[in-house]
Amino acid sequence: MFRRIVSNGNSFQDTLANDPSPEYIESANRLFQLHPTELHALLESAWSFRVKENRQPGHPGNKTTLRGLPDDLIGLFDNNWQNGTTFVTQVGVGNPCTGHSLWDHLIYAYVIESTQVYKVFQKLIENYAKGDFEINLQPAVLQWLHNTETLWFADPPVLSSFNFVSKARPDIMLTRLGSYYRFFGFSLPGDEQPYYKAKSAHLNYRRSFERFAEEIWIGIENEANVTGRRPIDDAAIAFSAYEMQKNFLSQRNNGDITKQEFFFVSMMAWFHLSLEYNSPIVQAFGINEQSPAQRLFALANIVGVPANGLSENLFRLGDNMSLLLTLIETGIFNDELNVPALYEDNSPLANMMKQIIFNYSHVSGNNLKARAVKTYDSMPLQKGNGILTNGQAVHS
């Protein structure tokens, strides 16, 4: 969510690539310097201004009917944060939130956390809390550290819309792991912490997704064929999309899991944004790398926590997977007439699918361009630059 706030609703990294003006970097820096209360207010405002179409709760156009803070309380926060569409604004009495914010799919949080970014920043904050910092804490760095600890490593305010800590759910990390398992049927790579695995978990997600992507690749390879064999199966793609949509909406259960999704996506977006440019914390350690993954590797080396060697692919996968699964949940690809957009030459969606298939194949070790589809109980990672594979340090 934070990346969208500072970049007109788009991927922050894409925004920097397409518009080299310093406006967006200044916007991100200003975000990091807000008080934790203001940041909580941004989250509450984004939640209250979510898209509210006349659809079944759980659908991307109406993710839940659960209320946020009352409109009158939202109106007390004079946050005129601009993101092009200005979804964060002051709301007066009698002027209810109409809503037009749409956040990333839970898969974004899963993919970004698979880089081990949470554990790296957790160790960083622990070192800060213990006083084990050998850097000069400039005001911008100190505020970033304070905000990060308060937002993501402390229990949320009791009356916050996003307080998931209770006697029933005492550990937010385990709640997050359980949410991933519930949606996708596998754990984070390399994480062996015991947590409750819901009996209703979507265990067929990986099989359905890989069949879906594999059929699309066949379409990409054969779409231009005008003579001879053209083994494109739109019905198979539509059926896999339908299977995924049905199971995702079942897990959402009329919006039950939506607040967890919103909060966890926002958490990973904060860490991701911190690595997408020379943010205060990156500058503080003198890191001069040019990509989020390389900055993460440098930071991981400093704090002594291994990052995932496949982070470059994972960072590139997050936004695209989020958009794809959100579209699948709308049901648009259940109709065979809409399927060709996923593989037709020069289609934006086809270009996105090429990137997904390439990066997913590297991350999973399962070549989606091959005909045979493997199935796994978890999502193992290949050895890549050797930093972390299934929890084991490797050397390449």
Side-chain angles (χ1 to χ4, degrees):
M1 177 55 67
F2 290 112
R3 296 166 69 236
R4 297 182 182 277
I5 289 174
V6 300
S7 58
N8 292 333
N10 302 311
S11 161
F12 183 71
Q13 199 168 14
D14 288 345
T15 299
L16 290 181
N18 296 328
D19 187 343
S21 70
E23 173 188 354
Y24 298 110
I25 291 178
E26 291 174 5
S27 183
N29 284 335
R30 186 160 61 93
L31 176 80
F32 286 139
Q33 297 309 300
L34 295 177
H35 187 275
T37 302
E38 294 177 288
L39 292 166
H40 273 293
L42 279 172
L43 291 176
E44 294 283 0
S45 298
W47 175 260
S48 293
F49 280 84
R50 65 187 179 273
V51 173
K52 300 173 185 175
E53 298 175 0
N54 185 24
R55 296 181 180 275
Q56 177 73 18
H59 184 281
N62 184 23
K63 286 199 168 185
T64 184
T65 57
L66 287 172
R67 293 189 61 191
L69 288 179
D71 294 341
D72 291 352
L73 291 182
I74 291 290
L76 296 177
F77 297 101
D78 189 14
N79 279 319
N80 295 311
W81 192 275
Q82 304 291 322
N83 77 331
T85 53
T86 318
F87 73 76
V88 180
T89 185
Q90 187 168 10
V91 181
V93 177
N95 181 20
C97 304
T98 55
H100 43 267
S101 68
L102 181 63
W103 53 89
D104 281 295
H105 193 278
L106 186 64
I107 192 66
Y108 168 81
Y110 176 87
V111 169
I112 299 303
E113 188 163 5
S114 293
T115 67
Q116 305 300 323
V117 67
Y118 179 85
K119 291 184 177 180
V120 170
F121 278 112
Q122 181 180 40
K123 181 61 175 178
L124 177 70
I125 294 301
E126 287 176 358
N127 289 349
Y128 158 65
K130 294 174 181 177
D132 288 337
F133 258 33
E134 297 179 359
I135 60 173
N136 185 18
L137 292 180
Q138 297 292 332
V141 181
L142 187 60
Q143 189 65 51
W144 183 94
L145 289 165
H146 176 62
N147 287 341
T148 302
E149 180 179 9
T150 303
L151 283 174
W152 315 121
F153 298 103
D155 292 348
V158 174
L159 298 181
S160 166
S161 297
F162 315 106
N163 184 5
F164 307 117
V165 178
S166 68
K167 291 182 179 179
R169 291 183 282 200
D171 190 322
I172 197 167
M173 175 66 180
L174 299 185
T175 299
R176 196 162 67 252
L177 293 175
S179 297
Y180 293 151
Y181 186 83
R182 183 173 159 185
F183 250 66
F184 310 117
F186 39 72
S187 304
L188 282 171
D191 202 312
E192 299 178 355
Q193 293 186 73
Y195 63 92
Y196 182 76
K197 297 180 178 180
K199 297 179 178 64
S200 62
H202 184 181
L203 299 179
N204 293 327
Y205 160 72
R206 184 169 187 179
R207 181 188 66 184
S208 297
F209 174 77
E210 291 188 351
R211 287 178 176 173
F212 174 83
E214 189 179 44
E215 292 290 348
I216 289 172
W217 182 253
I218 292 172
I220 290 171
E221 285 194 314
N222 295 277
E223 190 267 336
N225 292 355
V226 293
T227 60
R229 191 165 175 265
R230 198 170 185 267
I232 301 174
D233 194 341
D234 289 350
I237 296 172
F239 180 74
S240 294
Y242 165 73
E243 277 193 318
M244 286 188 281
Q245 185 213 24
K246 176 186 67 176
N247 283 297
F248 281 141
L249 294 183
S250 174
Q251 292 305 320
R252 290 194 183 278
N253 195 11
N254 290 326
D256 165 55
I257 202 171
T258 301
K259 282 192 176 183
Q260 291 95 308
E261 177 186 55
F262 178 91
F263 189 74
F264 299 150
V265 161
S266 298
M267 175 191 294
M268 296 308 150
W270 177 273
F271 298 141
H272 192 175
L273 180 61
S274 298
L275 295 169
E276 283 190 286
Y277 74 108
N278 289 327
S279 66
I281 195 63
V282 169
Q283 292 183 47
F285 287 98
I287 296 172
N288 296 310
E289 303 296 342
Q290 300 303 308
S291 74
Q294 293 301 320
R295 294 182 184 110
L296 177 63
F297 293 150
L299 199 57
N301 185 57
I302 290 169
V303 301
V305 173
N308 191 322
L310 295 163
S311 294
E312 195 73 60
N313 297 101
L314 289 163
F315 278 121
R316 295 183 181 190
L317 193 59
D319 287 325
N320 287 337
M321 283 294 290
S322 174
L323 176 56
L324 176 63
L325 295 195
T326 298
L327 289 172
I328 286 173
E329 283 199 40
T330 67
I332 188 173
F333 301 126
N334 296 354
D335 186 341
E336 291 180 38
L337 294 177
N338 296 324
V339 166
L342 291 164
Y343 58 74
E344 287 179 335
D345 191 32
N346 294 323
S347 160
L349 287 178
N351 291 334
M352 181 183 75
M353 286 305 307
K354 291 175 184 177
Q355 291 297 314
I356 288 175
I357 289 168
F358 173 80
N359 288 297
Y360 185 97
S361 295
H362 277 266
V363 165
S364 67
N366 185 18
N367 184 5
L368 296 179
K369 298 179 182 180
R371 185 61 186 171
V373 176
K374 305 172 185 177
T375 57
Y376 300 94
D377 294 328
S378 61
M379 191 173 182
L381 296 180
Q382 292 193 95
K383 295 180 180 180
N385 298 331
I387 298 181
L388 183 74
T389 300
N390 287 344
Q392 302 297 319
V394 297
H395 303 281
S396 55

